[in-house]
Amino acid sequence: MRKYITFLASALVAVAASSCNPVDKTEAKLTATPESLYFAAEKATAQTITVTAEATEWKHELPETATWLTVTRKDNTLTVNAADNTEPTAREATITITPSASGVAPVKVAVTQVAATAPEVPSSITLSPETLNFVATNAPAQEVTVTTVGEFTWKIATMAGEEWIHITPPADGKFTVTLDDNTASTERRAYINVIPDDKTIVTQKLLVIQEPAEVEPVLELILPEGTDPEKGIIFDPAGGFIRFDLNVEPQTAEWTVSLSDENASEWLVVTPTVTPNAHSILLQAKPNPAETNRTTQLTFSHASENVAPVTITVTQKAKANVLSTIEEDIDVTMPQARIECKANNTTRDYPFIQWTLTLYEEGLTYNKIWGRWEGAGARIVIHMTGDPANEEDVELEARTYTVVPYEKYTKQPLVDRLPGWVCTGSSNGKSLYPSGTWYQTLSGGAVTGCANATEGTVTVTRNGDEYTISWDFVSDAGKQVKGSYTGPVNIIF
């Protein structure tokens, strides 16, 4: 009975205590910061939203159209990423954060991404059309439209100042081109430049093409000056090159050349040039080893059947006994002189004295120790006779000396040799000690070219101690050998 009373009393005490301390009920709350997000159009940095919740759980949502946004949650933080915006307009979306507790309003965070920046359009010029094609005569004018991007001015000019092109002053971004008639049988082309005043902008080129005029077909040979059309082209025995042009109309026409004798191709090489404005023929004859002339004919044929073929004869002279190797005229001034003389003395008494005149260029020197010529350059060696005199009385006489045949000059007895003679060049002209009178070119101690004197004169004049020695010869190759020396004469005995 006591136990029951005790339990009951305890229960009553507990109930009394409970009624004195009521349960603490917390109010549910939900907030988010920041309330809005702004993203750049490209390479935007991720941004975060901090969610504060009291007495409630929460979740976040995106609209289905906001595919450009990515939202991830970690604890009470949302991380938001925006993909690059390539559109020229801004885009927006709302992230909704919804609480689980009733009676608490959802939180909305506005997200905005700015529009893509339009790429900067560079300044430029464009032409329409870019090429103008004109007929040869009475061509109508053609208009060109110039489209520009950017703020700048421009001007028009032909590239090479072609006077056959005429341009009207531009107006409203357009200009007109007219051409003079084309009277040539070749197409002509030129460029018109549209030039901006801003040098960073590329100049545009307008190509202008005009058709060739219609002309009568023509094929004419323009033979080298001095050529007799009846005799034709004539080569020396040594051969060489001869080139001449052709007058061909239209300039674009084709033509051919052929040999009348197929065997002639063994000694005559024919090289035609068939291009607009450059019609020519190059002939190369090889040396003729035969003692008779050789001849062929060249026939030129136009592509048009209305033009008759043109024929020219080509002849190469027979081999001649020519000692000279220089096949061109020579006219030189020699700055140096070596004058040698064999005068009369106690052991020598002739009706003449022997002169050896060596006139030479600066590149040559005479080595007195070895008695030879060294270096590179040209010289002429003249063997001639003067009036008899002893060494103490010798002077180079001012007079004209005449070339005589080698056989006459060297005929025995020597007493028949007369003053005033010049010895013809004979034997081997490539010898460093030539027989008779020779013009030679030397290099490295060897003769590289030579031309002998077969006829002509040597003239000596004097003004005090200054002499002028001039020569005017013809070689056995039919070439002139001319020249002079002016200066002192120091005689070597």
Side-chain angles (χ1 to χ4, degrees), residues 37-371:
L37 301 178
Y38 293 88
F39 286 94
E42 294 182 352
K43 300 179 181 178
T45 303
Q47 299 187 45
T48 58
I49 301 171
T50 301
V51 180
T52 303
E54 294 183 16
T56 183
E57 296 296 325
W58 57 272
K59 64 179 180 179
H60 68 278
E61 292 179 308
L62 278 173
E64 292 182 358
T65 56
T67 55
W68 50 280
L69 282 179
T70 303
V71 182
T72 57
R73 175 179 177 176
K74 183 176 182 181
D75 298 331
N76 290 329
T77 301
L78 296 178
T79 301
V80 184
N81 285 280
D84 289 351
N85 186 5
T86 60
E87 299 300 323
T89 56
R91 51 190 180 185
E92 298 177 345
T94 301
I95 300 173
T96 302
I97 303 171
T98 305
S100 59
S102 60
V104 179
V107 176
K108 297 181 182 293
V109 178
V111 181
T112 302
Q113 186 175 31
V114 298
T117 302
E120 183 178 350
V121 179
S123 298
S124 63
I125 296 177
T126 55
L127 306 179
S128 180
E130 296 180 345
T131 301
L132 300 180
N133 291 282
F134 291 86
V135 295
T137 57
N138 299 319
Q142 296 191 42
E143 187 178 73
V144 179
T145 300
V146 181
T147 302
T148 61
V149 176
E151 296 294 329
F152 58 90
T153 60
W154 48 273
K155 63 181 181 179
I156 309 170
T158 56
M159 181 172 287
E162 289 82 0
E163 296 182 355
W164 50 276
I165 298 177
H166 306 282
I167 307 169
T168 60
D172 299 327
K174 297 181 180 181
F175 63 91
T176 302
V177 179
T178 57
L179 303 186
D180 293 339
D181 289 349
N182 185 8
T183 59
S185 62
T186 54
E187 174 188 274
R188 57 184 179 184
R189 295 183 173 216
Y191 283 98
I192 296 174
N193 288 340
V194 179
I195 309 165
D197 64 348
D198 185 344
K199 294 184 178 180
T200 64
I201 303 171
V202 177
T203 294
Q204 294 300 308
K205 298 178 181 180
L206 175 70
L207 176 60
V208 178
I209 304 172
Q210 189 172 28
E211 296 177 353
E214 294 185 5
V215 297
E216 292 294 326
V218 174
L219 176 62
E220 299 174 335
L221 307 186
I222 306 173
L223 298 176
E225 184 176 356
T227 301
D228 183 344
E230 296 296 327
K231 295 180 180 179
I233 304 294
I234 299 177
F235 281 95
D236 290 332
F241 294 87
I242 294 178
R243 178 191 174 280
F244 60 90
D245 295 324
L246 288 79
N247 176 26
V248 179
E249 293 291 353
Q251 283 288 317
T252 54
E254 294 186 354
W255 52 271
T256 59
V257 58
S258 60
L259 291 165
S260 62
D261 178 8
E262 292 182 358
N263 294 330
S265 61
E266 296 179 1
W267 62 272
L268 184 65
V269 179
V270 181
T271 305
T273 298
V274 188
T275 60
N277 300 312
H279 300 276
S280 65
I281 195 83
L282 178 65
L283 305 179
Q284 178 188 6
K286 300 177 182 179
N288 187 2
E291 295 182 357
T292 57
N293 293 349
R294 51 189 181 186
T295 303
T296 188
Q297 287 187 323
L298 294 177
T299 299
F300 297 82
S301 301
H302 195 285
S304 172
E305 296 180 352
N306 296 327
V307 179
V310 180
T311 300
I312 188 73
T313 300
V314 180
T315 302
Q316 186 176 25
K317 295 179 180 179
K319 175 185 177 182
N321 187 21
V322 176
L323 301 176
S324 299
T325 62
I326 297 177
E327 293 291 332
E328 59 187 7
D329 293 333
I330 300 163
D331 192 351
V332 294
T333 299
M334 297 299 190
Q336 303 289 330
R338 179 179 174 83
I339 310 297
E340 300 174 87
C341 179
K342 287 185 178 180
N344 290 334
N345 51 36
T346 56
T347 61
R348 185 184 188 279
D349 187 17
Y350 290 110
F352 65 90
I353 58 176
Q354 176 68 47
W355 291 100
T356 302
L357 314 182
T358 305
L359 301 314
Y360 58 97
E361 293 179 334
E362 297 283 1
L364 292 175
T365 57
Y366 182 73
N367 189 323
K368 296 179 181 179
I369 297 176
W370 296 100

